[in-house]
């Protein structure tokens, strides 16, 4: 069981630095964040940490919260070289990450792990409404302070599954002859971030241009990303060249999926 993060020197400095940053804007931003840190420490510190990481990648960041509370909106408005985008931050708490993955906060030498895919899917479903009706792309940054869970699950393999659903191995069979054909990876698109097999075009949550999966421990940085195959507002991944972004490519005619990375790809049947 982990205690308060604010007892650690790194997070004490992070809290103070974020308060100082917020103080350069409307005073209500700092007031609201201080209320949040008292109500949900990890959520508040996740906002501070991801803002810090974005700035470390050369992004100019400003708060974007609607101070009236009437309009749900992303946490941050970001700019780099006149390119604007938004970032909505959400946190998978340490306790939830431990429960979902089966990894204790202080893991033993060896352990079995389960993916965080369902938690990522739930966060995207929750945050999609906050990314609607914007004038620029919106990323959902999903972070956790559970260092081992982030290290083990925010990987290319797990992100492929987040985009396509966990694959199974299937084998083609000729119904007339009973002859077995080639094996292939198949998926039912269950709890996939940007796809829904029950929709005619398979596309879901188009308000989210992409996701960032972030380890938030002091030594970690923005880890890995995924782009929506056909969002309402596309995000240019060249804005964050330090982050590898995957993209799922859908061919509904052949019912084939492909996950493209900058230097590789994986294919699935749906």
């Amino acid at each position: 069981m982990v205690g308060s993060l604010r007892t650690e020197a790194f997070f004490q400095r992070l809290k103070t630095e974020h308060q100082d940053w917020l103080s350069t804007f409307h005073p209500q931003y700092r007031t609201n964040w201080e209320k949040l840190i008292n109500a949900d420490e990890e959520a508040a510190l996740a906002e501070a940490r991801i803002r810090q990481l974005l700035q470390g990648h050369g992004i100019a960041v400003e708060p974007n919260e609607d101070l009236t509370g009437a309009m749900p909106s992303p946490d941050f408005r970001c700019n780099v070289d006149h390119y604007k985008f938004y970032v909505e931050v959400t946190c998978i708490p340490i306790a939830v990450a431990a429960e979902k993955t089966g990894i204790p906060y202080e893991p033993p030498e060896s352990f079995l792990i389960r993916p965080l895919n369902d938690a990522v899917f739930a966060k995207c479903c929750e945050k999609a409404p906050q990314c609607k009706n914007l004038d620029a792309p919106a990323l959902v940054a999903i972070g956790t302070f559970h260092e081992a869970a982030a290290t083990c699950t925010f990987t290319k393999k797990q992100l492929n599954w987040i985009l396509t659903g966990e694959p199974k191995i299937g084998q083609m069979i000729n119904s007339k002859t009973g002859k077995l054909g080639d094996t292939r990876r198949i998926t039912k698109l269950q709890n996939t971030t940007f796809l829904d097999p029950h929709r005619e075009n398979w596309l879901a949550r188009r308000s989210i241009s992409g996701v960032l999966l972030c380890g938030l421990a002091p030594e970690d940085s923005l880890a890995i990303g995924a782009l929506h195959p056909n969002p309402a507002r596309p995000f240019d991944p060249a804005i964050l060249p330090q982050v590898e972004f995957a993209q799922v490519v859908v061919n509904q005619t052949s019912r084939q999926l492909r996950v493209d990375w900058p230097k590789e790809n994986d294919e699935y049947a749906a």
Side-chain angles (χ1 to χ4, degrees):
M1 187 73 178
V2 63
S4 171
L5 294 177
R6 281 178 285 176
T7 61
E8 300 178 27
F10 172 83
F11 294 106
Q12 290 175 353
R13 293 193 300 270
L14 178 63
K15 175 178 179 288
T16 300
E17 191 252 353
H18 195 66
Q19 288 171 316
D20 290 344
W21 176 76
L22 288 171
S23 295
T24 64
F25 303 99
H26 192 290
Q28 191 63 42
Y29 287 119
R30 174 168 173 164
T31 298
N32 289 354
W33 187 80
E34 288 173 345
K35 289 179 181 177
L36 177 61
I37 199 169
N38 289 324
D40 190 339
E41 179 184 73
E42 289 186 55
L45 290 174
E47 287 186 15
R49 182 68 172 132
I50 287 175
R51 185 269 310 162
Q52 186 182 68
L53 294 171
L54 289 167
Q55 290 179 322
H57 287 294
I59 307 297
V61 184
E62 297 180 359
N64 188 65
E65 175 189 2
D66 177 26
L67 292 177
T68 69
M71 180 79 67
S73 55
D75 294 302
F76 299 127
R77 184 171 57 255
C78 303
N79 284 276
V80 57
D81 296 332
H82 306 292
Y83 184 93
K84 181 169 73 171
F85 64 102
Y86 297 92
V87 174
E88 170 62 14
V89 177
T90 185
C91 180
I92 299 175
I94 291 170
V96 173
E99 178 186 358
K100 293 286 186 181
T101 63
I103 306 173
Y105 184 55
E106 296 181 358
E109 184 175 335
S110 61
F111 48 87
L112 295 173
I113 66 167
R114 299 185 296 271
L116 275 172
N117 299 10
D118 288 350
V120 171
F121 173 75
K123 290 294 185 182
C124 287
C125 291
E126 175 188 340
K127 295 300 182 179
Q130 284 178 251
C131 299
K132 288 183 177 179
N133 304 318
L134 299 175
D135 59 355
L139 300 179
V140 174
I142 304 172
T144 182
F145 290 105
H146 192 316
E147 186 173 5
T151 300
C152 293
T153 64
F154 290 173
T155 64
K156 286 186 177 182
K157 177 181 178 180
Q158 296 294 336
L159 192 50
N160 284 355
W161 293 1
I162 286 168
L163 290 173
T164 66
E166 185 173 351
K168 308 293 184 184
I169 299 299
Q171 191 168 24
M172 301 297 291
I173 184 170
N174 187 309
S175 61
K176 294 181 179 179
T177 66
K179 185 177 180 180
L180 296 176
D182 296 335
T183 59
R184 60 169 60 184
R185 284 181 294 179
I186 60 174
T187 174
K188 295 183 178 180
L189 299 178
Q190 184 175 5
N191 290 355
T192 50
T193 305
F194 299 132
L195 302 178
D196 183 345
H198 301 295
R199 299 190 182 208
E200 185 177 354
N201 60 6
W202 292 5
L203 300 174
R205 291 165 286 283
R206 296 185 64 234
S207 62
I208 300 175
S209 307
V211 296
L212 292 172
L213 303 182
C214 309
L216 301 179
E219 297 80 13
D220 287 329
S221 61
L222 286 179
I224 202 165
L227 300 174
H228 196 292
N230 186 14
R233 294 162 298 278
F235 175 77
D236 181 359
I239 297 301
L240 285 171
Q242 308 88 342
V243 180
E244 280 196 89
F245 282 90
Q247 186 165 22
V248 60
V249 179
V250 180
N251 186 328
Q252 286 184 283
T253 302
S254 65
R255 299 185 66 83
Q256 299 289 311
L257 304 176
R258 185 179 76 249
V259 179
D260 282 354
W261 290 92
K263 298 180 181 179
E264 59 192 89
N265 62 68
D266 262 326
E267 294 184 349
Y268 302 81

